[in-house]
Amino acid sequence: MGKPKKTLPPPNPDYEGFTPFTETFMRDLGYVHESVVEEATSTTTRSRARWNDLVGVMFGNEKWYAVDDIKSLLTEKLAAKRGFEQHQKDCVGVL
């Protein structure tokens, strides 16, 4: 007999509101579940609400975010932080 098919568990094991098929389908479309974003970025729903450029898509009762949108937003935040750090270093030399 062949190996049994692996099924993906839901991103949040405590919530059983969607099936592994839903997760696979949404990932194929380029979206990840909000619990994955929460875990990867150490944020909460409330703190992500301040990310004005990030808009989630509701699929059923669950929110999904586009991977490309997350990547561009975090890249911009990192660039802004690095720019601010460089500005601070430049100011230290002046004082």
Side-chain angles (χ1 to χ4, degrees):
M1 291 177 78
K3 292 183 180 179
K5 280 189 169 182
K6 285 188 175 180
T7 58
L8 296 172
N12 182 356
D14 297 332
Y15 183 77
E16 299 178 8
F18 58 90
T19 64
F21 169 78
T22 305
E23 182 185 11
T24 305
F25 176 72
M26 292 302 284
R27 283 191 185 221
D28 288 345
L29 292 176
Y31 289 87
V32 292
H33 189 258
E34 68 178 332
S35 65
V36 175
V37 176
E38 184 173 317
E39 184 178 329
T41 59
S42 299
T43 58
T44 62
T45 304
R46 188 173 185 156
S47 64
R48 280 192 309 279
R50 290 182 289 223
W51 293 0
N52 296 328
D53 299 336
L54 187 63
V55 178
V57 174
M58 295 299 289
F59 186 79
N61 290 330
E62 297 294 313
K63 188 174 275 191
W64 300 79
Y65 293 104
V67 175
D68 293 336
D69 291 347
I70 295 168
K71 182 180 176 182
S72 64
L73 177 72
L74 293 178
T75 302
E76 288 173 16
K77 286 186 173 291
L78 181 61
K81 182 177 180 180
R82 286 184 178 164
F84 180 72
E85 289 172 352
Q86 185 61 42
H87 174 70
Q88 285 182 322
K89 288 178 185 177
D90 293 342
C91 289
V92 169
V94 173
L95 298 176

